[in-house]
Amino acid sequence: ILKGAEMTTAEIPVNKAQLIKDLKYALYASKVCSYAQGLGIIKSCSDDMNWNVNLSECARLWKGGCIIRAALLQKIQDALARDGKLPNLILDPVIAGELNERTSAWRRVIVTAVAYGISTPAMSGSLNYFDSYRRASLPANMTQAQRDFFGGHTYERTDRDGVFHTAWTDAHKS
């Protein structure tokens, strides 16, 4: 019933060796962002509840587990030990450097997957998280515009103070 992309390598050429290298980089970056999100949730709860959770210790404990155990956890543990007040794992200079080195490969994998109709929800979601975190302002204006259009909820602007409503169509003008 539903048809997806039916691209071929003739239409969108793929260098297999490069794609494999890119996949390794993209998977690594995605995993780092997944850990960053999870640790961010733990940190937020810890701060709210005054639990004083030591995130570096969490990473150390996970290294010995049967489910999460991964070599990446040593780098995470080291990053969190370097700065116990780190607001987010991806802001550690070493981790940030590794992510920055892998960003182009990560994007090439997502672009290729989209072109071929291959769903990559975790990998593309992690890239979206990374992109959202690195920007000073986000495209919330689209969400505000949709809310105003469908429910007259108004919106704010970044270029001037105040709350605004737009008569998007003739139906909104009455």
Side-chain angles (χ1 to χ4, degrees), residues 97-117:
E98 290 181 341
L99 289 173
N100 290 335
E101 289 172 10
R102 291 164 170 80
T103 301
S104 293
W106 199 0
R107 292 180 195 290
R108 283 191 299 269
V109 168
I110 300 302
V111 166
T112 302
V114 168
Y116 282 92

Side-chain angles (χ1 to χ4, degrees), residues 91-134:
L91 298 178
D92 173 74
V94 174
I95 299 289
E98 290 181 341
L99 289 173
N100 290 335
E101 289 172 10
R102 291 164 170 80
T103 301
S104 293
W106 199 0
R107 292 180 195 290
R108 283 191 299 269
V109 168
I110 300 302
V111 166
T112 302
V114 168
Y116 282 92
I118 300 168
S119 177
T120 57
M123 193 173 287
S124 56
S126 289
L127 180 58
N128 284 323
Y129 174 81
F130 174 80
D131 284 340
S132 295
Y133 210 90
R134 68 183 183 79

